[in-house]
Amino acid sequence: MPIATPAYKRILLKLSGEALMGEDSFGINRTTIVRMVEDVAEITRMGVEVAVVIGGGNIFRGVAGGAVGMDRATADYMGMLATVMNALALADAMNKQGLTARVMSAISIDQVVEPYVRPKALQYLEEGKVVIFAGGTG
C-alpha cells in the first residue's frame, strides 16, 4: 500500500492526561502509551512534523484540589507539574520506540526538561524530532 500524502506539514496534537490511564483508575497505562507512540510514529514516517501538548488529569486535577480548599494557584502549579511528568513518560516511550522526542516547559526545570524557546522548538520539528510541550506551554 502506498504511503498517503499528508494534508499538513506540521501538526499540534493535544493528548489528554486522562487518556493515558487507559483502563486504569489513575497513572499511566503502559499499553495505552505504547499505542499512542505507535500512532505518532506512523505520522512522523509520513514526514509530518509533530508537536504534542499533554494534559495532567491522570495525575492531578487542579479544579478538584481547589474544591477541597486548596489555593487555586497552588492547584494550577501542581497540574502544570503533572503535565511535565506525563511529557517525560511520553518522551521516554517515544525514545524507546526509535523516535527522538524533546520535552519543553514554560516552568523552569532546567535539570529535567528544556525551557520553551520557540526558535529551538521549530528547529527540533524541522529536524524530525517530536516536541512535547508541558508545564504551561499549552
Side-chain angles (χ1 to χ4, degrees), residues 28-120:
I28 300 167
N29 179 282
R30 179 78 180 146
T31 303
T32 300
I33 200 167
V34 166
R35 188 187 75 248
M36 289 177 172
V37 168
E38 289 170 352
D39 290 344
V40 171
E42 184 177 339
I43 296 166
T44 61
R45 283 193 295 272
M46 294 171 57
V48 176
E49 298 171 1
V50 179
V52 179
V53 174
I54 191 150
N58 58 318
I59 297 171
F60 185 80
R61 174 73 48 205
V63 174
V68 295
M70 180 180 285
D71 177 72
R72 178 61 192 244
T74 299
D76 287 345
Y77 288 141
M78 292 173 70
M80 291 164 74
L81 291 171
T83 70
V84 173
M85 293 169 64
N86 281 339
L88 288 169
L90 185 61
D92 181 71
M94 286 182 175
N95 290 327
K96 286 181 177 164
Q97 291 294 321
L99 294 174
T100 303
R102 296 289 185 260
V103 178
M104 301 185 104
S105 171
I107 300 172
S108 181
I109 321 172
D110 295 343
Q111 293 83 356
V112 181
V113 298
E114 295 181 48
Y116 172 72
V117 178
R118 185 176 185 274
K120 190 69 173 172

